[in-house]
Amino acid sequence: MTPVYCIGSGVVTPLGNTPQDVFRAVRQGRTALCLHTGYPEPYYASLLSRDCVGKGVLFDQIVRDAASAAVKEAGIDASSPRTGLVLSTIKGNVEVLGKADVSLAVQARRLANALGVTTQPTVVSNACISGLAALVQGMRMIQSGQYDHVIVAGAEVQSRFIVTGFQSLKALSLTACKPFDAARDGLNLGEAAAAMVLSSHADASQWELVSGCIRNDANHISGPSRTGEGSYNALRYVLQHARPEDVAFVNVHGTATRYNDEMEAIALYRAGLQNMPVNALKGVFGHTMGAAGILESIISILALETGVVLPTKGFETLGVSVPVNVSAKERPAQGNSFVKLLSGFGGVNGALLFRKGGAR
């Protein structure tokens, strides 16, 4: 099967607008999570500044900026008929509902026009795994032989629609979230955009997307499987393509809700990964929804390049029913690969195995 590599990346976050700046901020222990008001109930979130938006729409601006940076780094011709585009988002620019067309297809076409992409863009909107699912879709588009390069961009902007929806589910914490911790009581929301350029044309130094898998456990519209079925099966599939000693860590979803963290822990345990270093980044960025799978993969790539497993901010005392090796502090990484794991509403689950360039 055609190897697929990441040859460019870009991000827009409250902690910085380049992957390197954001990674440095994460290692310094920084976060933009804080308490926000303005809706019926206060909520904890990491939000972007609205000061520089001007007359444009924030969603359009950040996804364009992240994707443009990734394209520039990759040095590809976005207008080539062999270049594709995948947009990952759950709600897009729903904050302008009633004022403009908020259909995701229209937003994808607007992004394509801004980047100069001439092929038909694809939209992936599959709950919280959208970013990871979009990367898998991009891999498959290249492996089909139709494309040489695929730009995969994900973004989310929080709005009254999203915030009050999560509040109605009693899923939000009024303090900084605590993934996998005994005192966890809910998630924090986040805003960000992130993009990768995937390619079949790369040298051996580039990071390879080795294997991706999407599984649906069909448990409940908003409740994860109590046995971690979907995540377990996704993990089992991608780990067929790596030696156990080569996997440095699993970067999990880690939303800090009671049931999500329990489900992921059970899936990891069932997969025999109870001793594998595990970390989550929601305590840094909040839940960035359609951007999460891409953003957290980019930061995990930089972590393994640096030789570290990043800490799980907010974690102190293990609060799940099975043993898992959650990183409370930064520690050395051993291996040349990592797994990104995500789960979401509707019982959707996904796993993606990344491998350092030149490693086999």
Side-chain angles (χ1 to χ4, degrees), residues 302-315:
L302 292 174
L304 193 48
E305 282 185 345
T306 308
V308 299
V309 180
L310 291 169
T312 301
K313 192 172 182 64
F315 171 79

Side-chain angles (χ1 to χ4, degrees), residues 34-336:
C34 61
L35 193 65
H36 294 269
T37 57
Y39 296 123
E41 300 174 29
Y43 64 102
Y44 229 78
S46 173
L47 303 182
L48 293 157
S49 170
R50 267 59 176 173
D51 295 341
C52 59
V53 179
K55 296 181 180 179
V57 176
L58 180 60
F59 177 87
D60 291 350
Q61 177 178 310
I62 64 173
V63 72
R64 180 193 67 230
D65 289 352
S68 295
V71 169
K72 182 178 180 180
E73 181 182 3
I76 65 167
D77 177 8
S79 67
S80 166
R82 301 281 297 173
T83 298
L85 171 65
V86 182
L87 172 64
S88 161
T89 186
I90 301 175
K91 298 300 182 186
N93 59 5
V94 71
E95 76 275 11
V96 297
L97 183 65
K99 302 175 183 177
D101 189 335
V102 298
S103 66
L104 301 186
V106 169
Q107 293 168 64
R109 173 45 62 192
R110 203 155 46 228
L111 175 61
N113 292 340
L115 297 174
V117 172
T118 57
T119 55
Q120 181 70 26
T122 298
V123 174
V124 174
S125 185
N126 194 9
C128 302
I129 74 164
S130 294
L132 188 151
L135 290 171
V136 173
Q137 174 67 18
M139 290 174 62
R140 292 172 178 170
M141 289 165 67
I142 291 172
Q143 290 167 345
S144 74
Q146 186 176 358
Y147 297 96
D148 296 324
H149 313 292
V150 175
I151 306 159
V152 182
E156 217 71 61
V157 172
Q158 302 303 330
S159 65
R160 185 184 186 91
F161 182 92
I162 300 172
V163 174
T164 55
F166 275 103
Q167 286 176 336
S168 70
L169 293 171
K170 307 300 181 184
L172 300 185
S173 175
L174 289 176
T175 60
C177 67
K178 302 176 180 294
F180 287 84
D181 193 82
R184 69 187 187 278
D185 64 353
L187 62 83
N188 302 152
L189 294 171
E191 294 182 331
M196 285 188 184
V197 174
L198 308 185
S199 178
S200 59
H201 301 302
D203 60 46
S205 67
Q206 305 287 359
W207 276 79
E208 182 180 358
L209 286 71
V210 180
S211 177
C213 182
I214 307 299
R215 289 288 184 267
N216 195 313
D217 58 45
N219 181 69
H220 187 271
I221 191 170
S222 63
S225 164
R226 299 300 177 89
T227 60
E229 202 64 31
S231 290
Y232 162 67
N233 282 309
L235 277 170
R236 187 174 63 171
Y237 180 87
V238 301
L239 288 172
Q240 295 177 94
H241 302 273
R243 297 182 304 176
E245 63 270 24
D246 288 340
V247 181
F249 59 86
V250 179
N251 178 248
V252 295
H253 196 34
T255 62
T257 58
R258 183 62 56 183
Y259 295 126
N260 176 87
D261 293 5
E262 174 71 8
M263 177 276 293
E264 282 197 291
I266 291 171
L268 291 162
Y269 184 79
R270 288 183 63 191
L273 301 178
Q274 59 269 27
N275 296 319
M276 177 71 65
V278 169
N279 73 339
L281 293 170
K282 297 297 189 295
V284 176
F285 301 112
H287 192 343
T288 56
M289 300 166 63
I294 307 169
L295 172 62
E296 293 170 8
S297 293
I298 291 170
I299 299 305
S300 294
I301 285 173
L302 292 174
L304 193 48
E305 282 185 345
T306 308
V308 299
V309 180
L310 291 169
T312 301
K313 192 172 182 64
F315 171 79
E316 294 180 359
T317 304
L318 190 66
V320 291
S321 64
V322 294
V324 283
N325 188 10
V326 181
S327 291
K329 297 179 180 180
E330 184 179 293
R331 53 175 152 170
Q334 305 294 326
N336 57 40

